[in-house]
Amino acid sequence: MKRISLFQSLIIVFFGILNTVAAQKGTSELASLGIHIIPYPQEVRLGGDDFILQNGLDIILDKNATSTDLKTAELLKKSLIDDWGLTVNITRENGTKGIVLTREGVGASIKDQGYSLSTGKNGLTILAKDEDGLFYGVQTFLQLIKKHRTGPFVPGMEILDWPDVKIRAAHYDTKHHQDRASYVKSFIRDLAKYKINMLVWEWEDKLAYKSHPEIGAPGAFTMEEMKEFTAYAKDYHIELTPLVQGLGHVSFILKWPQYRDLREVEDSDWEFCPLEEGTYDLLFDLWDEAMEATPGSKYIHIGSDETFELGVCDKCQDKAKEIGNSGLYHLFAEKAAKHLKKSRKVMLWERPMGWENSGSPIKNMEPDKDLVLTEEYHYESPDFKFARQAKNMGFEMFMYDPNPGLEPLFLPYHFKMTSNRISSSPRKVKGSLKDSYDLLTASANSGLFHGMVNTSWDDSGLHNQMWMLSFATSAQYSWNATAPGLEEFENSFFQNYYGPNVKDMEELYELLNEGAYYYAHSMERNVWHHGDIGKTHLPDLPRGQYVEYDQYWNNEYSEIIKRSRTQKESMKRALQIININMGQVERNAYDFEVYQSIAKLIEHTCLTYLDLSELEYTITQAHKNAFSDRAATLRSLEKAELLIGNSLLRREKVFADLVSVWEKTRLPKGMSTPAKKYFFKMDRSRHFANRTPDMSYLIYDEQLLDMEGYLEKLRAYRKSFQLKF
């Protein structure tokens, strides 16, 4: 053990009682010192000399350091300059004091992608077996630096670290939006900080395909831009893996009339026929371009899930009798892999032994064992029976971090709701954070899985920043499945990602979690997927000389009116937390602009219901006065007009503000360019974000109410009442 410095001794004494309490609660060594590392290292030993960072700091590389190691040193230098204002020099000279980045003299304790980190009074050493390990050691070091009045420092410690899971992938879904190039790069940097080393990018029509130019959306990234992203990700030790959907999920291709003959079902653009040779001619073109756009990557993902119409056409029905619907799926996968595996490993959404555990299992054929299985396995037994079978057959498999859910606006991090009806009494059940924690801690050290993939489906059009806690959770527990506990991890994420001054984030996430469910189950939004439940109508319009109307609205919607009042106060508190943090967070302040836009949209929904409630009461008052006080009746009718008009103006402002904030990081949704018009077509999946070509999917349900038309009719009635009666 190294000598403990005076300053470190004071820290240990000061935190003595706190550490005792922390130990009882399971708090980690680093968190007890106010250091929040993601992912948490495998082994930490506190003690020894602190390392003080000063101007003129040297980063010392091996004399034979590779160009990749030099790039790591350059990224470290940039971070120290940008974040701490230090003057930094990179050298290969021995004997100087500073930060030593070395891959010489590595012992057996250092594993692949692993590293050791140790502090000293005059230096800090990061020792790694490979280029990845050196980079990851640097990412940990940058998170260890603490502020002090005398300057930044790293408390004395030794760390030995390595990943439990070799490949830690984030799935990046941009099917319903396109992020700006600057955002893509910042997203890559954020993932790299948490040691994610694969980005599975589901870009669909966001590549400007040269072979089939109609398929790429207006403004899609060019081949050169995708190559640049690939190289940029490589600098951050992330492999950019393209995901271009294959058998199913292909409406971005089959919506085009010229490919109609390749559909499994003529009226559905969702799915290719696996027995049409043209299917493969077209997909091979797109996949070849995807591989060209991602040079040096080892994998390609062909998606191919949700094959709802598989085996429906006449040819496929006959073939399914011979090999089963699962056989049709694997016939497609085998032909795809034969073309692709000369250059890449082929990933697809398939479960371990899913071909046997299906409604139409495979017959008279075997699946291609070179396929990489990445689909969920919720049907698994605790001993991973099917994963073990697939492993024994030779399949490479990825853990599928459970899908958080498809609710709009925000993720159900803390709880999910058991009911789709806002008027019922839904029960709260385990949220997505606990789902991820439970699966990853059980699976990461099973020895069955080559990798982990966290999915961020774009179905409901959430802003990508809302997934950051999910990505970080997957990064943490696929790197180190044993520590820290989930409660500590969430707190560490907020302080790590936003800075130590961030406040009340757990409460904010709870409020947004609840508010997102309120929003999802109001208006027409839940009708979209679940039928005529929760559907909203407008109050009855007045008619006749005595302001006759049917008084039903406040009685019919009493539950949601009550919920709206409560939810309005919750959003008031959420906006208070957001506003406080906007002025004091050190990093990623943009997230709070997005949080604010979400909270204001939820608040607007609450106020709209309360406006409609007040509207009916106002019409009631007009009716009561119609027999005795025409002037009072007119005033009530004018008030009713004002209620609707103000509600429409508020919607316009809230929506415009939201679009303005979101488009700081993304292109306008469904935009056209002078050279190309966007081709919008709704597909059979009825994704929430694909209800409209633009961002109005977020207010589409209010548009369906036609409050504008109601206002016109109300205004016409008031004028008629004023003139005739």
Side-chain angles (χ1 to χ4, degrees), residues 78-339:
K78 186 177 187 305
S79 294
L80 293 174
I81 293 171
D82 293 347
D83 298 342
W84 298 98
L86 297 171
T87 56
V88 183
N89 176 55
I90 297 175
T91 180
R92 297 176 189 250
E93 296 298 322
N94 293 326
T96 55
K97 300 175 182 178
I99 303 168
V100 177
L101 305 182
T102 181
R103 294 201 284 124
E104 296 180 349
V106 176
S109 61
I110 307 291
K111 301 180 181 180
D112 290 347
Q113 301 185 39
Y115 64 91
S116 68
L117 182 152
S118 58
T119 64
K121 185 175 182 180
N122 296 315
L124 182 145
T125 299
I126 298 173
L127 173 65
K129 179 179 180 180
D130 50 36
E131 294 170 335
D132 291 333
L134 204 64
F135 178 81
Y136 296 141
V138 165
Q139 298 311 305
T140 295
F141 162 64
L142 289 171
Q143 297 179 57
L144 288 171
I145 303 172
K146 290 177 62 68
K147 291 181 180 178
H148 187 259
R149 67 177 183 274
T150 60
F153 77 103
V154 175
M157 68 181 68
E158 294 179 356
I159 288 175
L160 183 62
D161 200 12
W162 64 89
D164 287 337
V165 179
K166 181 178 179 180
I167 299 178
R168 303 164 300 281
H171 164 249
Y172 177 37
D173 188 1
T174 58
K175 68 165 66 75
H176 296 313
H177 79 281
Q178 180 172 338
D179 289 316
R180 298 180 186 273
S182 57
Y183 177 83
V184 174
K185 290 182 177 180
S186 70
F187 180 47
I188 287 169
R189 294 194 299 272
D190 284 340
L191 295 179
K193 174 181 177 180
Y194 298 137
K195 303 182 178 68
I196 290 289
N197 61 356
M198 178 183 282
L199 182 62
V200 180
W201 188 349
E202 184 170 350
W203 63 49
E204 293 204 346
D205 59 354
K206 305 311 184 296
L207 175 66
Y209 299 98
K210 295 180 293 184
S211 58
H212 301 276
E214 71 283 352
I215 292 176
F221 292 121
T222 64
M223 177 71 69
E224 291 68 31
E225 287 174 313
M226 282 296 185
K227 287 181 178 179
E228 182 183 348
F229 292 139
T230 302
Y232 190 84
K234 187 176 180 181
D235 286 343
Y236 286 86
H237 294 252
I238 291 176
E239 176 179 327
L240 202 163
T241 298
L243 194 166
V244 179
Q245 285 280 5
L247 191 56
H249 267 285
V250 289
S251 55
F252 72 102
I253 303 170
L254 293 183
K255 69 180 181 180
W256 293 93
Q258 58 266 46
Y259 304 128
R260 192 179 186 93
D261 61 322
L262 302 180
R263 297 175 177 182
E264 175 74 3
V265 177
E266 186 177 3
D267 290 334
S268 172
D269 60 12
W270 185 254
E271 190 170 327
F272 277 111
C273 173
L275 298 183
E276 288 286 348
E277 285 304 314
T279 292
Y280 303 95
D281 294 337
L282 174 54
L283 284 173
F284 290 173
D285 287 344
L286 303 185
W287 289 336
D288 286 347
E289 289 198 49
M291 292 188 291
E292 182 185 350
T294 54
S297 296
K298 302 181 186 68
Y299 291 81
I300 184 171
H301 203 305
I302 62 171
S304 308
D305 59 324
E306 297 190 338
T307 51
F308 302 123
E309 279 85 45
L310 187 63
V312 171
C313 80
D314 291 341
K315 288 188 294 185
C316 287
Q317 283 186 37
D318 290 340
K319 190 66 174 176
K321 292 175 183 176
E322 176 189 343
I323 62 175
N325 278 6
S326 290
L328 285 171
Y329 181 91
H330 279 278
L331 178 69
F332 169 83
E334 182 180 290
K335 294 181 80 166
K338 184 177 180 180
H339 177 79

Side-chain angles (χ1 to χ4, degrees), residues 253-515:
I253 303 170
L254 293 183
K255 69 180 181 180
W256 293 93
Q258 58 266 46
Y259 304 128
R260 192 179 186 93
D261 61 322
L262 302 180
R263 297 175 177 182
E264 175 74 3
V265 177
E266 186 177 3
D267 290 334
S268 172
D269 60 12
W270 185 254
E271 190 170 327
F272 277 111
C273 173
L275 298 183
E276 288 286 348
E277 285 304 314
T279 292
Y280 303 95
D281 294 337
L282 174 54
L283 284 173
F284 290 173
D285 287 344
L286 303 185
W287 289 336
D288 286 347
E289 289 198 49
M291 292 188 291
E292 182 185 350
T294 54
S297 296
K298 302 181 186 68
Y299 291 81
I300 184 171
H301 203 305
I302 62 171
S304 308
D305 59 324
E306 297 190 338
T307 51
F308 302 123
E309 279 85 45
L310 187 63
V312 171
C313 80
D314 291 341
K315 288 188 294 185
C316 287
Q317 283 186 37
D318 290 340
K319 190 66 174 176
K321 292 175 183 176
E322 176 189 343
I323 62 175
N325 278 6
S326 290
L328 285 171
Y329 181 91
H330 279 278
L331 178 69
F332 169 83
E334 182 180 290
K335 294 181 80 166
K338 184 177 180 180
H339 177 79
L340 294 169
K341 65 186 180 182
K342 294 174 288 187
S343 305
R344 302 280 175 104
K345 290 186 176 183
V346 182
M347 309 169 84
L348 78 170
W349 301 122
E350 171 65 295
R351 304 168 295 173
M353 309 309 297
W355 50 92
E356 291 185 359
N357 296 280
S358 75
S360 179
I362 198 169
K363 297 183 293 185
N364 302 316
M365 64 177 293
E366 292 289 330
D368 187 333
K369 295 180 178 58
D370 289 329
L371 295 169
V372 181
L373 312 178
T374 61
E375 179 61 284
E376 61 180 318
Y377 43 95
H378 287 160
Y379 62 89
E380 277 280 15
S381 57
D383 63 349
F384 300 109
K385 172 184 174 182
F386 299 118
R388 291 186 188 281
Q389 282 182 254
K391 177 80 169 180
N392 291 336
M393 291 176 68
F395 283 99
E396 182 177 319
M397 294 176 293
F398 277 53
M399 293 177 285
Y400 181 97
D401 193 355
N403 179 12
L406 298 177
E407 291 74 18
L409 296 184
F410 197 71
L411 292 175
Y413 282 116
H414 289 161
F415 60 85
K416 298 180 181 179
M417 306 288 274
T418 58
S419 172
N420 297 318
R421 302 187 63 131
I422 202 164
S423 59
S424 66
S425 300
R427 183 168 55 91
K428 294 180 180 179
V429 296
K430 182 172 64 170
S432 65
L433 272 183
K434 188 64 164 57
D435 275 342
S436 292
Y437 175 82
D438 288 347
L439 181 133
L440 292 171
T441 54
S443 309
N445 288 310
S446 66
L448 297 171
F449 302 100
H450 192 71
M452 175 283 306
V453 59
N454 169 299
T455 54
S456 60
W457 303 111
D458 197 26
D459 299 18
S460 295
L462 279 69
H463 194 289
N464 196 61
Q465 284 301 104
M466 300 304 95
W467 294 91
M468 286 310 302
L469 175 56
S470 178
F471 293 136
T473 306
S474 297
Q476 165 59 60
Y477 293 108
S478 59
W479 180 278
N480 181 353
T482 59
L486 188 57
E487 182 178 352
E488 179 187 316
F489 163 75
E490 185 180 7
N491 177 63
S492 287
F493 168 77
F494 293 136
Q495 297 193 56
N496 180 292
Y497 197 68
Y498 297 115
N501 297 323
V502 72
K503 288 181 169 47
D504 300 321
M505 289 303 296
E506 186 175 351
E507 182 186 1
L508 176 61
Y509 271 43
E510 188 88 9
L511 293 168
L512 293 177
N513 191 158
E514 182 178 40

Side-chain angles (χ1 to χ4, degrees), residues 611-668:
D611 287 344
L612 295 177
S613 172
E614 182 63 21
L615 174 65
E616 186 182 67
Y617 287 132
T618 303
I619 294 172
T620 300
Q621 191 60 47
H623 168 75
K624 289 179 178 178
N625 289 326
F627 301 98
S628 58
D629 191 338
R630 286 173 51 83
T633 296
L634 282 171
R635 287 195 297 273
S636 292
L637 292 174
E638 289 167 350
K639 179 182 176 182
E641 290 179 42
L642 190 62
L643 276 168
I644 296 295
N646 286 342
S647 184
L648 290 170
L649 288 173
R650 183 181 62 242
R651 180 213 299 171
E652 182 180 354
K653 183 179 188 315
V654 167
F655 179 64
D657 289 347
L658 182 146
V659 171
S660 177
V661 167
W662 289 32
E663 288 184 358
K664 288 182 179 182
T665 60
R666 52 174 60 182
L667 297 182

